[in-house]
């Protein structure tokens, strides 16, 4: 019976539902989203690729010519790469809508522009 | 009353934590369960072997993904084991933050479980309200750690993120809300006839059996045995924070509900105390890449009970052997004892009673031994069927 | 046919199946059905039986033991059927992809229509994936090619 | 005198030369290495002095032998790890299910993962590994690497 009274009480209040695709609430500050490389800072040491617990980061070449491939479909969004980076070149975005129809478009490539 | 023929009812297999997707084969005489055989392993991924292949840092994230609901308990246990091997201690502030996150996780896990339990007895209104209010604690966790489920707070030698002064008022406000709601839910549970009829004297586990079968966590405490790793073998900052161990003498599913509600209230007080008394200082100490040879045992009170990790190191950057025993596995012998002599209709709620993260147990096959006919039923319609039967019997 | 397509897109029912994941995605998928996120706004219902479902939401890397069951469930679903891979494990196997008991990725076993990476994805992200899948259903087209 | 030391003294008195080493690395942790034939005797003794809870059994492959570690807890507080080594070829260990019934699943698990036979165990049927898993492959033995396991198992799967 206690629940019926509760249900009637909440019937008169504002709904709690977030109407998501139409209204988007930004995630809180410090949200761990997709990592993004700042290639001006990156020195191509490959530490992020070695430390990644699920092998989501691939580095091709070393040093200035290094090219980084990030596989979002493997990423755990743990933020260890950003924490380990000696040059602070990796920032975590605060987006979370990564859904795609195809896995091939989930690879992000980063290359130093000359 | 005996019907003279034993019917076998396989139940399962779907269940999430490390090695605990359970499949149960019930032997039923009429409507009474006479025997039960567990068969687990549908979610066996071979994590223990995988631990030997990854470095100590990578293993933190692997340990986190043993179970999604007690992810913080697993990482705490893992990092403590490694800290024990290395001979370093986490700084005081880090230990307090560990307690706060662990207790928040306990609140989230227990309210999740309570929702699932009332859902199993067909009380979906209650379930929806519980899960709506559970979002409050999920929001705090997301605010602190940056993710709703896998917090990734612990690292070897401390924690990765601080609880900043700006977010403390928000946490306190949510805690007040949660406390009010939990007290209300406890009152509602005690007065709802539906809940009482379906849970009192169902799935009884006597204290003697509970100790003999090595049950852990709320299952053990609801049988009146005062046993809690936080109090008996304190880790993190639990030796500095006062708290009561909640027990209940009912030994049935209802007292497991009450114990978990009581633990939510206790956790709220612990978090308040920890926030008030949090020492300042650094968050983590640096660890060396390689760990010296040795072995360590680490124990943590996860939301579901005692969790134990064992690590053996051979001096390289990877562990030589890593062993995890998660609490649900420890509760399965006790669970099998609970089933004996109960009605088929009570299977879902008894199974939910030990909190085996129930969300996806969704397929059943009935085999009638006499006619050898197979009938497939999904979990939902099975619950529906048993609900109807049960109501019929009550009427 | 457009009426049929419209009906399908307005009320796709979901069957949730865990294939060995850590439970994180499961609770987030379930959370998407509770008042705060409430995907029932899109006419979506969580179903327990594969016979009634249109979308199979798979969480977790596929373990050997569960593979047969996954295929059986998929075969029991009526056409047209769609598969949604929820979480990084279901997309690629993520941290478990080299474990001895894991096949790794739902798309090694079934054709997948939409991937939702994230560990676990927020309920909003799952809704995003479902909405994208509904758009695909509206455009039609994918039902015939599957095995 | 600490509780740990009191327990260690008691154990030394009881088991005498059957103990190989005793190690107390820190508070509330005890590691004891015993001879394999003293298993049942020591478990019985430990149960009688209060170690009624068994947390788990760990198996470790140490090359030529398998190390079994029984983790027992004294009313939740002191965690005692009882270690013994068994030969890989002649791997027979007496069961302790009649002393502590809660151990039944852990023994099955070790049997499945390491191929240790527990004599007198009521039911050692498969518990965790998938149906159709090849016999005599124990995944946690060091001999089997991940690649080897994946190759041998997935090849069979493909042939099906």
């Amino acid at each position: 019976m206690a629940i019926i009274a509760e249900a009637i009480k909440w019937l008169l209040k504002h709904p709690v539902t977030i109407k998501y695709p139409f209204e988007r609430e930004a995630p809180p500050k410090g949200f761990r989203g997709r990592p993004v490389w700042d290639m001006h800072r990156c020195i191509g040491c490959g530490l992020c690729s070695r430390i990644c617990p699920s092998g989501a980061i691939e580095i091709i070449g070393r040093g200035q010519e290094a090219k980084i491939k990030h596989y979002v479909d493997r990423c755990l969004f743990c933020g260890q790469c950003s924490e380990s980076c000696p040059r602070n070149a990796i920032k975590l975005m605060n987006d979370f809508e990564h859904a795609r129809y195809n896995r091939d478009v989930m690879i992000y490539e980063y290359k130093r522009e000359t | 009353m005996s019907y003279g023929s034993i019917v076998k009812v396989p139940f399962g297999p779907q269940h999430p934590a490390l090695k605990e997707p359970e499949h149960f084969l019930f032997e039923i005489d009429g409507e009474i369960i006479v025997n039960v055989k567990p068969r687990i392993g549908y979610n066996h991924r071979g994590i223990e072997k995988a631990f030997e292949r990854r470095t100590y840092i990578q293993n933190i994230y692997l340990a986190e993904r043993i179970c999604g609901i007690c992810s913080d308990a697993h990482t705490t246990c893992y990092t403590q084991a490694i800290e024990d091997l290395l001979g370093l201690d986490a700084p005081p502030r880090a230990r307090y933050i560990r307690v706060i996150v662990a207790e928040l996780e306990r609140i989230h896990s227990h309210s999740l479980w309570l929702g699932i339990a009332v859902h199993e007895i067909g009380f979906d209104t209650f379930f929806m309200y519980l899960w709506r209010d559970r979002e409050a604690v999920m929001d705090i966790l997301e605010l602190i750690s940056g993710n709703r489920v896998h917090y990734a707070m612990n690292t070897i030698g401390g924690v990765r993120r601080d609880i900043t002064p700006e977010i403390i008022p928000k946490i306190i406000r949510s805690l007040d809300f949660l406390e009010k709601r939990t007290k209300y839910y406890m009152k509602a549970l005690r007065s709802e006839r539906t809940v009482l009829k379906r849970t009192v004297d169902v799935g009884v586990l006597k204290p003697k059996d509970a100790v003999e079968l090595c049950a852990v966590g709320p299952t053990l405490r609801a049988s009146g045995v005062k046993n809690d790793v936080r109090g008996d073998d304190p880790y993190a900052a639990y030796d500095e924070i006062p708290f009561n161990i909640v027990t209940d003498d009912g030994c049935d599913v209802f007292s497991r509900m009450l114990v978990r509600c009581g633990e939510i209230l206790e956790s709220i007080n612990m978090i308040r105390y920890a926030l008030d008394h949090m020492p300042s200082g650094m968050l983590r100490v640096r660890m060396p890449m390689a760990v010296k040879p040795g072995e360590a045992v680490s124990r943590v009170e996860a939301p579901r009970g005692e969790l134990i990790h064992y690590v053996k190191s051979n001096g390289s950057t990877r562990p030589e052997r890593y062993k995890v025993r998660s609490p649900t596995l420890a509760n399965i012998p006790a669970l099998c004892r609970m089933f004996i002599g109960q009605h088929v209709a009570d299977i879902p709620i008894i199974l939910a009673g030990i909190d085996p993260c129930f969300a996806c147990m969704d397929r059943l096959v009935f085999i009638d031994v006499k006619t050898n006919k197979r009938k497939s039923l999904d979990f939902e319609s099975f619950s529906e069927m048993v609900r109807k039967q049960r109501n019929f019997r009550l009427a | 046919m457009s009426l049929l397509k419209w009906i399908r897109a307005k009320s796709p029912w979901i069957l949730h199946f865990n294939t060995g994941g850590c439970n994180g995605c499961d609770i987030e998928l379930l959370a998407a059905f509770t008042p705060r996120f409430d995907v029932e706004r899109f006419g979506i219902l969580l179903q327990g039986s594969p016979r009634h479902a249109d979308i199979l939401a798979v969480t977790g890397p596929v373990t050997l033991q569960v593979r047969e069951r996954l295929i059986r469930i998929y075969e029991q679903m009526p056409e047209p059927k769609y598969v949604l891979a929820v979480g990084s494990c279901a997309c690629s196997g993520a941290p478990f992809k080299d474990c001895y008991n894991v096949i790794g990725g739902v798309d090694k076993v079934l054709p997948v229509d939409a991937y939702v990476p994230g560990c676990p994805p927020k309920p909003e992200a799952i809704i995003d994936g479902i909405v994208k899948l509904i758009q695909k259903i509206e455009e039609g087209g994918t039902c015939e090619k599957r095995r | 005198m600490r509780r740990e030391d009191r327990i260690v003294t008691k154990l030394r008195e009881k088991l005498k030369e059957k103990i190989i080493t005793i190690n107390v690395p820190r508070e509330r942790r005890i590691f004891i290495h015993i001879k394999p034939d003293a298993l049942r005797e020591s478990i019985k003794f430990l149960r009688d002095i209060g170690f009624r809870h068994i947390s788990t059994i760990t198996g470790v492959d140490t090359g030529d032998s398998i190390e079994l570690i029984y983790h027992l807890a004294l009313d939740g507080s002191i965690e005692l790890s009882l270690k013994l080594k068994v030969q890989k070829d002649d791997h027979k260990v007496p069961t302790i299910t009649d002393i502590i019934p809660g151990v039944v699943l852990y023994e099955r698990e070790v049997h499945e993962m390491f191929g240790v036979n527990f004599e007198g165990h009521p039911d050692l049927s498969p518990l965790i590994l998938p149906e159709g898993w090849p016999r005599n492959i124990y995944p946690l033995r060091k001999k089997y690497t991940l690649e080897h396991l994946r190759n041998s198992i997935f090849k069979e799967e493909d042939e099906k």
Side-chain angles (χ1 to χ4, degrees):
Chain A
M1 288 315 277
I3 286 284
I4 295 178
E6 184 75 4
I8 293 168
K9 198 177 104 196
W10 284 96
L11 208 58
L12 306 171
K13 292 201 177 163
H14 192 72
V16 289
T17 309
I18 303 169
K19 299 183 178 55
Y20 164 65
F22 315 109
E23 292 167 22
R24 185 177 183 275
E25 222 173 67
K29 212 179 123 206
F31 179 75
R32 277 183 283 127
R34 178 168 66 88
V36 169
W37 276 255
D38 177 357
M39 290 313 278
H40 292 293
R41 288 185 164 199
C42 179
I43 50 170
C45 61
L47 197 60
C48 48
S49 151
R50 251 181 296 143
I51 207 133
C52 181
S54 66
I57 304 165
E58 193 184 330
I59 182 159
I60 303 157
R62 279 286 188 276
Q64 300 291 325
E65 290 89 49
K67 200 168 91 180
I68 283 168
K69 267 188 175 177
H70 177 228
Y71 297 84
V72 179
D73 57 339
R74 292 184 202 164
C75 187
L76 299 181
F77 303 92
C78 60
Q80 182 66 41
C81 46
S82 138
E83 197 180 291
S84 302
C85 183
R87 296 292 303 270
N88 258 337
I90 307 173
K91 291 275 172 304
L92 298 179
M93 304 277 285
N94 68 350
D95 59 346
F96 53 83
E97 290 110 332
H98 306 300
R100 300 285 184 276
Y101 300 126
N102 202 324
R103 262 171 72 181
D104 304 336
V105 294
M106 285 192 211
I107 305 166
Y108 291 81
E109 281 191 30
Y110 300 90
K111 223 164 99 182
R112 183 185 283 258
E113 284 153 24
T114 42
Chain B
M1 186 169 57
S2 170
Y3 292 89
S5 68
I6 306 278
V7 179
K8 288 186 178 162
V9 183
F11 190 99
Q14 255 321 291
H15 174 285
L18 170 68
K19 281 185 275 201
E20 295 138 25
E22 295 139 51
H23 168 89
F24 291 94
L25 187 70
F26 291 101
E27 287 174 11
I28 294 169
D29 184 3
E31 227 184 293
I32 308 291
I33 302 164
V34 288
N35 198 7
V36 52
K37 284 192 192 119
R39 166 80 165 92
I40 62 179
Y42 283 84
N43 278 16
H44 177 69
R45 289 161 278 176
I47 288 189
E48 286 180 17
K49 190 87 179 174
F51 264 108
E52 296 165 13
R53 275 282 293 265
R54 288 160 169 76
T55 62
Y56 284 103
I57 292 282
Q58 288 173 337
N59 278 338
I60 302 172
Y61 304 102
L62 195 63
E64 191 161 42
R65 275 147 191 89
I66 291 170
C67 174
I69 301 178
C70 27
S71 59
D72 183 71
H74 279 285
T75 48
T76 312
C77 207
Y78 172 77
T79 48
Q80 276 178 53
I82 308 299
E83 279 160 19
D84 212 356
L85 275 181
L86 288 166
L88 37 96
D89 265 329
R93 190 177 175 85
R95 291 193 286 133
Y96 269 77
I97 291 175
R98 276 182 188 175
V99 168
I100 293 169
V101 177
E103 293 308 312
L104 283 171
E105 185 187 70
R106 198 179 311 278
I107 298 173
H108 130 63
S109 171
H110 282 351
S111 46
L112 177 142
W113 173 81
L114 206 57
I116 299 288
V118 290
H119 171 71
E120 291 316 330
I121 56 176
F123 202 164
D124 273 8
T125 323
F126 207 139
F127 162 68
M128 286 294 176
Y129 279 122
L130 269 163
W131 275 59
R132 180 199 63 191
D133 296 335
R134 175 177 159 270
E135 290 297 327
V137 64
M138 299 303 275
D139 283 348
I140 313 178
L141 281 166
E142 192 180 23
L143 197 65
I144 294 175
S145 70
N147 194 311
R148 283 163 53 97
V149 173
H150 290 309
Y151 319 116
M153 283 295 276
N154 294 313
T155 187
I156 298 164
V159 291
R160 289 170 65 191
R161 285 180 185 226
D162 197 5
I163 294 179
T164 50
E166 303 97 73
I167 60 175
I168 288 179
K170 278 189 194 163
I171 299 176
I172 300 275
R173 227 179 304 139
S174 294
L175 288 180
D176 292 343
F177 170 74
L178 280 168
E179 187 176 22
K180 211 176 77 199
R181 296 301 300 169
T182 311
K183 280 187 176 151
Y184 163 74
Y185 288 132
M186 267 181 105
K187 206 183 88 198
L189 276 180
R190 282 210 176 92
S191 62
E192 279 296 342
R193 262 182 54 216
T194 331
V195 175
L196 294 177
K197 276 207 158 165
R198 288 299 311 272
T199 56
V200 173
D201 287 337
V202 168
V204 174
L205 181 69
K206 295 203 184 71
K208 190 177 151 278
D209 288 346
V211 172
E212 210 170 57
L213 295 171
C214 303
V216 294
T219 313
L220 181 60
R221 290 196 285 276
S223 292
V225 182
K226 205 170 180 178
N227 187 322
D228 190 322
V229 179
R230 290 176 291 170
D232 300 330
D233 187 3
Y235 55 94
Y238 282 109
D239 46 350
E240 295 163 31
I241 297 171
F243 70 103
N244 301 318
I245 296 171
V246 185
T247 56
D248 199 283
D249 297 327
C251 308
D252 53 9
V253 175
F254 185 63
S255 50
R256 277 165 221 146
M257 282 183 171
L258 291 184
V259 164
R260 290 196 170 98
C261 280
E263 282 186 11
I264 295 179
L265 294 177
E266 206 55 50
S267 294
I268 291 172
N269 288 334
M270 286 163 85
I271 298 166
R272 283 203 188 115
Y273 181 92
L275 285 172
D276 282 346
H277 295 77
M278 200 154 56
S280 56
M282 51 182 199
L283 290 177
R284 59 192 287 188
V285 288
R286 287 275 152 208
M287 72 160 276
M289 277 305 283
V291 173
K292 58 179 181 263
E295 55 189 349
V297 174
S298 165
R299 296 163 84 211
V300 156
E301 182 77 16
R304 285 176 195 77
E306 177 209 36
L307 168 70
I308 180 163
H309 285 204
Y310 166 86
V311 59
K312 185 172 186 181
S313 147
N314 56 1
S316 71
T317 54
R318 283 141 221 256
E320 187 181 317
R321 171 85 173 98
Y322 202 82
K323 162 85 189 173
V324 177
R325 200 276 283 135
S326 41
T328 315
L329 184 69
N331 276 334
I332 287 182
L335 178 69
C336 294
R337 179 70 56 93
M338 281 178 220
F339 277 128
I340 310 287
Q342 299 286 328
H343 291 282
V344 183
D346 292 328
I347 293 175
I349 182 64
I350 297 174
L351 193 45
I354 64 156
D355 191 1
C357 354
F358 205 64
C360 1
M361 209 167 227
D362 61 353
R363 283 200 54 74
L364 287 158
V365 186
F366 273 67
I367 307 174
D368 195 326
V369 174
K370 269 190 293 187
T371 57
N372 219 3
K373 222 189 266 168
R374 262 171 176 268
K375 197 164 101 186
S376 252
L377 261 186
D378 60 276
F379 181 68
E380 286 294 319
S381 43
F382 178 73
S383 316
E384 195 62 33
M385 189 183 91
V386 297
R387 259 175 232 157
K388 275 182 200 148
Q389 277 186 358
R390 179 83 191 186
N391 291 344
F392 177 70
R393 259 218 338 264
L394 288 174
Chain C
M1 279 310 276
S2 62
L3 178 71
L4 241 177
K5 218 181 271 173
W6 179 78
I7 291 169
R8 272 176 196 148
K10 283 298 168 196
S11 68
W13 286 6
I14 286 193
L15 168 71
H16 169 216
F17 192 60
N18 180 322
T19 54
C22 73
N23 215 16
C25 301
D26 308 335
I27 59 175
E28 294 295 76
L29 188 67
L30 206 54
F33 284 87
T34 53
R36 176 75 165 277
F37 304 100
D38 196 16
V39 284
E40 293 183 10
R41 287 176 291 146
F42 303 104
I44 293 169
L45 212 60
L46 191 63
Q47 264 299 317
S49 157
R51 303 263 183 222
H52 300 160
D54 304 302
I55 300 176
L56 176 64
V58 184
T59 55
V62 185
T63 59
L64 278 177
Q65 175 96 323
V66 96
R67 190 173 101 155
E68 295 299 314
R69 264 160 209 280
L70 179 64
I71 293 172
R72 223 166 74 197
I73 285 181
Y74 183 75
E75 281 167 357
Q76 282 176 352
M77 283 168 63
E79 292 280 344
K81 46 197 171 189
Y82 301 88
V83 178
L84 181 72
V86 178
S88 290
C89 295
C91 290
S92 66
F96 307 115
K97 64 177 181 300
D98 59 345
C99 291
Y100 59 82
N101 209 17
V102 170
I103 295 169
V106 183
D107 50 4
K108 293 206 174 147
V109 184
L110 302 176
V112 178
D113 294 286
Y115 298 87
V116 187
C119 195
K122 274 165 79 83
E124 280 111 320
I126 296 176
I127 297 174
D128 178 51
I130 292 173
V131 169
K132 279 187 177 142
L133 190 58
I134 290 176
Q135 280 167 6
K136 193 172 184 174
I137 299 174
E138 274 171 355
E139 286 158 17
T142 49
C143 10
E144 46 294 330
K145 44 95 216 207
R146 15 270 298 258
R147 48 174 206 119
Chain D
M1 198 168 164
R2 290 189 307 171
R3 276 189 305 171
E4 291 85 354
D5 298 331
R6 240 176 290 149
I7 289 165
V8 167
T9 330
K10 266 190 202 164
L11 274 167
R12 275 197 200 282
E13 275 167 20
K14 172 79 186 169
L15 295 170
K16 296 190 187 94
E17 78 285 350
K18 288 192 174 151
I19 294 175
I20 300 172
T21 51
I22 290 192
N23 183 15
V24 184
R26 71 174 181 87
E27 242 188 312
R28 301 188 297 272
R29 293 282 183 280
I30 305 173
F31 287 89
I32 299 179
H33 192 167
I34 56 162
K35 286 183 182 161
D37 53 334
L39 173 68
R40 281 180 64 88
E41 187 190 346
S42 32
I43 296 272
K44 249 184 212 151
F45 176 68
L46 285 168
R47 183 198 58 184
D48 293 340
I49 61 170
F51 285 88
R52 282 176 302 172
H53 179 86
I54 183 148
S55 298
T56 189
I57 306 174
T58 307
V60 183
D61 187 350
T62 54
D64 52 343
S65 59
I66 286 170
E67 202 173 67
L68 292 179
I69 311 175
Y70 291 72
H71 301 279
L72 297 125
L74 174 73
D75 294 330
S77 57
I78 295 176
E79 189 75 22
L80 184 142
S81 305
L82 191 74
K83 245 192 250 182
L84 58 134
K85 277 194 173 154
V86 291
Q87 289 305 309
K88 246 185 198 170
D89 328 313
D90 180 33
H91 39 256
K92 275 191 189 133
V93 184
T95 182
I96 57 161
T97 40
D98 50 333
I99 308 173
I100 303 179
V103 81
V104 61
L105 287 183
Y106 307 138
E107 284 191 353
R108 266 170 91 175
E109 188 191 340
V110 172
H111 168 72
E112 201 168 10
M113 292 302 186
F114 288 94
V116 176
N117 280 325
F118 289 93
E119 276 185 326
H121 190 282
D123 175 22
L124 281 175
S125 57
L127 178 72
I128 291 160
L129 293 175
E131 284 148 24
W133 183 270
R135 279 175 154 249
N136 302 325
I137 289 192
Y138 304 110
L140 287 182
R141 286 196 179 180
K142 292 279 179 211
K143 195 173 110 192
Y144 304 104
T145 60
L146 275 177
E147 286 78 17
H148 178 224
L149 283 170
R150 274 188 81 93
N151 288 342
S152 58
I153 289 145
F154 283 82
K155 215 200 290 165
E156 275 179 28
E157 281 286 310
D158 292 340
E159 279 166 12
K160 251 191 224 169

